[in-house]
Amino acid sequence: MGRQEAPTAREYGRALGANLARARLAKGLSQEQVAHQAGIAAYTYQKFEKGESRPGTPMNPRLFTLLALSEVLGVPVSELLPSGTPRLRAGN
């Protein structure tokens, strides 16, 4: 069996965004409700669910933002983070 290649930062961000959306829907909350309760702008949270921080830039939330989202969504941070570690070198 071959070793699976690490995801790019963009792929990892998209997977994290999908995990956020899944957890939000399971909790029955809107994007705006999650953002407000986590103390971030609704636009920022909407970009996170798309896997972006800014248009075309892979998601890179601050640690305390992830902790706040985890608390609001009622799931451990480990459930939000995709498995594996993304490639972290420049250009990925």
Side-chain angles (χ1 to χ4, degrees), residues 75-88:
V75 298
V77 171
S78 60
E79 283 189 29
L80 296 176
L81 297 176
S83 60
T85 302
R87 287 179 264 159
L88 300 173

Side-chain angles (χ1 to χ4, degrees), residues 2-3 15 19 23 25-26 29-32 34 38-39 54 57 59 62 65 70-72 74 76 79 86-87 89:
R3 190 173 159 202
N19 291 346
L25 293 171
L29 297 171
S30 69
Q31 291 178 328
E32 292 77 14
V34 172
R54 284 175 271 140
T57 303
M59 179 181 184
R62 293 180 176 171
T65 299
S70 168
E71 186 175 298
V72 168
E79 283 189 29
R87 287 179 264 159
R89 290 186 298 268

Side-chain angles (χ1 to χ4, degrees), residues 7-10 58 60 86-92:
T8 64
R10 187 172 312 282
N60 191 13
R87 287 179 264 159
L88 300 173
R89 290 186 298 268
N92 292 319

Side-chain angles (χ1 to χ4, degrees), residues 44-62:
T44 299
Y45 182 76
Q46 291 165 352
K47 297 307 290 177
F48 283 174
E49 281 199 6
K50 292 180 180 181
E52 301 178 335
S53 287
R54 284 175 271 140
T57 303
M59 179 181 184
N60 191 13
R62 293 180 176 171

Side-chain angles (χ1 to χ4, degrees), residues 14-33:
R14 281 193 207 117
L16 175 53
N19 291 346
L20 285 168
R22 247 189 311 278
R24 176 181 60 79
L25 293 171
K27 189 87 170 174
L29 297 171
S30 69
Q31 291 178 328
E32 292 77 14
Q33 289 170 313

